[in-house]
Amino acid sequence: MKHWILALAMGCSMIAPAFAWDLWEDFKGVGIENGRVVDYSDDRAVTTSEGQSYGMFFALVDGDKESFASLLKWTEDNLSSGDITKELPSWLWGRSGSNWIILDTNNAVDSDMWIAYCLLEAGRLWNDPSYTQKGQKMLELLKEQVRDVDNLGKVLLPGRVGFDKGDSVKLNPSYYPLFILKRFALEDSYWNEVFDGSLRVLLRSAPAGISPDWATFSKNGELLPVDDIDNTIGSYNSIRVYLWAGMMSPRDPSYKTLREHFAPMVALTEKLNMPPEKVNVNTLEVNQAAGDGFGACLLEYLGESKTADFIRTVLENTPIEKNNYYRNVLALYGLGFDQGLFAFDRDGRLYFPKAQQTQAQSKESQSS
């Protein structure tokens, strides 16, 4: 068993300095300009609230306070009208003709969750109450996007507009990292119910063990058999479902539940030696093997298998490239967690297994 998995199993949440992260430095070098994460694969050189939230998390893991503050400031100034405690970020910003503007004013609730999480944990880890207060105020804004669906429970809508149809709700399973909701519950027990509802979404939206990119539920909490591609294909959105689920603490009972539930995706990955790029969630038909960014999302479910070793080798030998934003962020999450640079305890708090191990070894050598 890996030493950081053992630490997880023991419930270790001791605070320790973050371990140096070369991959983060590489990402900053090609993917961040003046506090904004840029997706150069889009001709408009867009920035998304997703990218900002992921960048903040990587900076938090690295202990990079300067980058964290810069990313937060850019997000507030350009996506939240100057105050993220009063307005959740618009999700899309970029070039329109000769102007740089917000391209879509809707928000993306997963990014909002990650930003709130990063603020709460930055406040705790860096002893900065101003970050804690911002995170707590964001939680109040997020409550406005919770809907109570009969027989499903409390769930977060993906955004302010377009997902609550009155007689149904359209949800994105990849928007529910459950450890984040556990951390929110330390601030406000209200989020325990959202955790329960979100877990039901993850399980009910994937009856065959393959998560769809989107799932539509009736007002009575039933999964609707919608035929459009969003609801029938698991691909670029849903790959993160396995990434987040694999990062949960094994001490959380839902970790084992989800691991067993998503065993069919693990089997498909082992068969292809990489996760499939697209899977029909009804027939389990696949189109082709995906790239190594997708592979990063399945590492923790693959364990020490030959497939996992192959994916690790590819990831570790593929450089961070300017035009590959999504692959890059998935690689940072997957490899960072796999290498023990960060982990989450049972209550969703962030800690640093590799740094803690290094500290322990240093103390042991000094005492011998």
Side-chain angles (χ1 to χ4, degrees):
M1 180 183 289
K2 295 177 183 176
H3 61 270
W4 48 90
I5 296 298
L6 180 60
L8 273 166
M10 294 173 65
C12 178
S13 59
M14 179 178 62
I15 298 173
F19 203 85
W21 197 0
D22 293 340
L23 209 59
W24 165 237
E25 294 299 322
D26 293 343
F27 182 79
K28 283 198 297 181
V30 302
I32 299 182
E33 291 185 1
N34 301 317
R36 77 176 183 105
V37 176
V38 187
D39 183 355
Y40 290 104
S41 68
D42 190 304
D43 292 338
R44 300 168 296 176
V46 299
T47 289
T48 60
S49 59
E50 170 196 285
Q52 294 301 105
S53 69
Y54 292 171
M56 287 177 64
F57 179 75
F58 301 146
L60 180 63
V61 169
D62 191 67
D64 187 346
K65 295 182 182 181
E66 182 179 352
S67 293
F68 187 93
S70 177
L71 288 158
L72 175 61
K73 185 178 188 308
W74 191 95
T75 302
E76 288 203 272
D77 289 349
N78 294 277
L79 304 182
S80 293
S81 300
D83 191 346
I84 206 167
T85 68
K86 295 181 179 178
E87 182 178 318
L88 294 175
S90 298
W91 82 274
L92 185 63
W93 186 97
R95 184 171 50 223
S96 176
S98 60
N99 298 315
W100 293 88
I101 60 173
I102 290 174
L103 301 172
D104 190 330
T105 59
N106 211 4
N107 67 310
V109 82
D110 62 324
S111 307
D112 305 334
M113 291 168 65
W114 274 107
I115 292 172
Y117 177 87
C118 288
L119 288 168
L120 292 171
E121 284 298 273
R124 180 180 70 87
L125 292 167
W126 297 341
N127 192 28
D128 190 329
S130 68
Y131 284 146
T132 301
Q133 290 164 8
K134 280 181 181 285
Q136 290 171 338
K137 289 179 179 178
M138 282 192 74
L139 293 189
E140 294 306 308
L141 294 180
L142 281 167
K143 284 182 181 179
E144 296 173 10
Q145 296 202 223
V146 174
R147 297 294 183 273
D148 204 335
V149 180
D150 288 348
N151 303 311
L152 193 62
K154 287 183 167 58
V155 293
L156 279 156
L157 295 177
R160 285 185 289 262
V161 179
F163 301 101
D164 185 349
K165 306 294 186 180
D167 59 348
S168 66
V169 291
K170 185 175 182 179
L171 305 176
N172 189 317
S174 76
Y175 282 16
Y176 301 139
L178 296 182
F179 48 82
I180 287 183
L181 294 170
K182 278 293 182 73
R183 177 63 182 87
F184 288 176
L186 294 180
E187 304 294 322
D188 184 343
S189 61
Y190 170 89
W191 294 98
N192 284 317
E193 290 186 71
V194 183
F195 176 99
D196 293 340
S198 302
L199 176 59
R200 293 187 190 102
V201 169
L202 291 175
L203 296 172
R204 294 183 189 178
S205 64
I210 304 294
S211 181
D213 282 346
W214 295 86
T216 300
F217 289 87
S218 73
K219 63 180 181 181
N220 295 317
E222 299 170 332
L223 180 65
L224 297 177
V226 182
D227 292 332
D228 67 76
I229 193 169
D230 280 352
N231 289 260
T232 57
I233 298 296
S235 187
Y236 287 90
N237 270 289
S238 65
I239 193 65
R240 294 173 297 184
V241 168
Y242 317 105
L243 178 64
W244 310 144
M247 289 179 178
M248 294 180 66
S249 167
R251 297 184 69 233
D252 188 318
S254 57
Y255 171 86
K256 182 180 179 181
T257 299
L258 290 169
R259 186 183 182 95
E260 292 175 350
H261 190 77
F262 292 130
M265 173 54 86
V266 177
L268 285 175
T269 301
E270 290 174 334
K271 181 178 180 180
L272 294 170
N273 231 24
M274 276 286 177
E277 182 192 33
K278 296 180 180 179
V279 190
N280 185 302
V281 299
N282 298 317
T283 66
L284 303 191
E285 179 182 356
V286 306
N287 65 334
Q288 62 186 16
D292 63 334
F294 274 38
C297 299
L298 267 294
L299 274 181
E300 297 316 298
Y301 276 173
L302 292 165
E304 300 300 326
S305 67
K306 291 182 179 179
T307 299
D309 288 343
F310 171 74
I311 292 172
R312 289 186 184 101
T313 299
V314 176
L315 284 166
E316 290 167 0
N317 288 280
T318 302
I320 297 292
E321 295 182 343
K322 184 175 181 178
N323 293 320
N324 212 349
Y325 156 78
Y326 195 50
R327 179 267 169 196
N328 293 341
V329 295
L330 296 181
L332 261 75
Y333 269 115
L335 275 179
F337 186 85
D338 189 61
Q339 294 170 353
L341 298 185
F342 66 89
F344 304 94
D345 71 13
R346 186 173 185 173
D347 292 314
R349 289 174 293 231
L350 180 67
Y351 70 99
F352 313 103
K354 189 172 182 178
Q356 290 175 199
Q357 185 197 37
T358 301
Q359 284 186 336
Q361 290 174 339
S362 177
K363 290 179 180 178
E364 185 178 342
S365 64
Q366 291 172 6
S367 62
S368 60

XYZ file of all heavy atoms in Angstrom, residues 8 25 33-34 50 109 120 152 163 215 236 265 278 281 283-284 292 340 347 367:
159
model
N -3.952 8.232 4.481
C -5.380 8.484 4.317
C -6.191 7.547 5.194
O -7.121 7.934 5.879
C -5.773 8.293 2.848
C -5.627 9.490 1.908
C -5.732 9.025 0.469
C -6.664 10.531 2.198
N 5.108 24.472 -12.016
C 5.953 25.515 -12.585
C 5.896 25.474 -14.111
O 5.849 26.522 -14.766
C 7.393 25.354 -12.093
C 7.582 25.585 -10.605
C 7.187 26.988 -10.178
O 7.453 27.943 -10.948
O 6.617 27.136 -9.077
N -1.140 33.872 -17.703
C -0.689 35.226 -18.050
C -1.338 36.237 -17.112
O -2.560 36.365 -17.095
C -1.074 35.580 -19.490
C -0.321 34.813 -20.565
C -0.670 35.319 -21.960
O -1.477 36.275 -22.062
O -0.153 34.763 -22.932
N -0.531 36.896 -16.322
C -1.025 37.987 -15.471
C -2.238 37.593 -14.641
O -3.219 38.336 -14.537
C -1.362 39.219 -16.332
C -0.156 39.725 -17.101
O 0.938 39.810 -16.561
N -0.363 40.037 -18.377
N -13.448 27.692 -14.556
C -12.866 26.383 -14.259
C -11.346 26.473 -14.183
O -10.721 26.012 -13.230
C -13.260 25.381 -15.345
C -12.535 24.052 -15.273
C -12.668 23.256 -16.553
O -13.755 22.699 -16.782
O -11.685 23.197 -17.339
N -21.006 25.953 -11.596
C -21.040 25.742 -10.152
C -19.864 24.903 -9.660
O -19.435 25.049 -8.504
C -22.388 25.115 -9.726
C -22.400 23.600 -9.927
C -22.715 25.466 -8.279
N -11.356 28.550 1.587
C -11.470 28.016 2.946
C -10.184 27.335 3.383
O -9.722 27.511 4.521
C -12.641 27.032 3.024
C -14.044 27.623 2.860
C -15.077 26.511 2.744
C -14.385 28.555 4.020
N -34.464 12.481 -4.490
C -33.053 12.631 -4.850
C -32.328 13.424 -3.767
O -31.252 13.036 -3.320
C -32.929 13.342 -6.197
C -31.558 13.314 -6.881
C -31.135 11.886 -7.213
C -31.590 14.153 -8.166
N -30.907 25.212 -16.392
C -30.827 23.835 -15.916
C -32.018 23.395 -15.074
O -32.231 22.207 -14.874
C -29.525 23.638 -15.120
C -28.293 23.936 -15.940
C -27.634 25.150 -15.801
C -27.836 23.030 -16.868
C -26.519 25.444 -16.569
C -26.724 23.304 -17.644
C -26.059 24.516 -17.495
N -26.907 14.477 -16.997
C -28.016 13.594 -16.614
C -29.238 14.451 -16.295
O -29.132 15.464 -15.607
C -27.639 12.747 -15.396
N -15.700 13.943 -22.204
C -14.805 14.973 -21.685
C -15.273 15.593 -20.373
O -14.452 16.064 -19.587
C -14.599 16.071 -22.746
C -13.718 15.597 -23.865
C -14.261 14.987 -24.997
C -12.332 15.707 -23.787
C -13.449 14.522 -26.023
C -11.512 15.249 -24.808
C -12.076 14.660 -25.923
O -11.269 14.183 -26.929
N -16.009 1.013 -15.793
C -15.079 1.928 -16.453
C -13.632 1.468 -16.264
O -12.805 1.581 -17.173
C -15.261 3.348 -15.918
C -14.226 4.342 -16.434
S -14.076 4.432 -18.237
C -15.361 5.620 -18.623
N -14.967 8.135 -25.680
C -16.415 8.271 -25.593
C -17.023 6.904 -25.354
O -16.643 5.924 -26.001
C -16.993 8.875 -26.874
C -16.542 10.305 -27.150
C -17.159 10.852 -28.438
C -16.692 12.278 -28.699
N -17.263 12.833 -29.949
N -23.407 5.209 -22.616
C -23.680 4.719 -21.263
C -24.752 3.639 -21.242
O -24.909 2.937 -20.232
C -24.086 5.884 -20.336
C -22.973 6.903 -20.237
C -25.378 6.536 -20.791
N -25.210 1.230 -24.062
C -24.731 0.027 -24.730
C -23.302 -0.333 -24.363
O -22.841 -1.434 -24.664
C -24.794 0.212 -26.258
O -23.859 1.235 -26.650
C -26.193 0.618 -26.690
N -22.581 0.604 -23.729
C -21.153 0.483 -23.381
C -20.259 0.422 -24.619
O -19.094 0.037 -24.536
C -20.893 -0.729 -22.469
C -21.681 -0.768 -21.154
C -21.138 -1.865 -20.253
C -21.643 0.579 -20.452
N -3.622 10.559 -22.629
C -3.150 10.287 -21.280
C -3.785 11.188 -20.226
O -3.771 10.863 -19.042
C -1.624 10.384 -21.216
C -1.095 11.781 -21.532
O -1.774 12.529 -22.248
O 0.010 12.108 -21.063
N 1.365 11.606 -4.266
C 1.269 11.976 -2.863
C 1.556 13.429 -2.560
O 1.817 13.784 -1.413
N -12.848 14.468 6.162
C -13.696 15.656 6.194
C -13.371 16.628 5.068
O -13.823 17.780 5.087
C -13.545 16.363 7.546
C -14.126 15.538 8.681
O -15.252 15.012 8.520
O -13.456 15.404 9.719
N 17.563 12.300 14.588
C 17.562 11.689 15.908
C 18.431 10.438 15.999
O 18.712 9.937 17.077
C 16.135 11.341 16.331
O 15.581 10.382 15.433
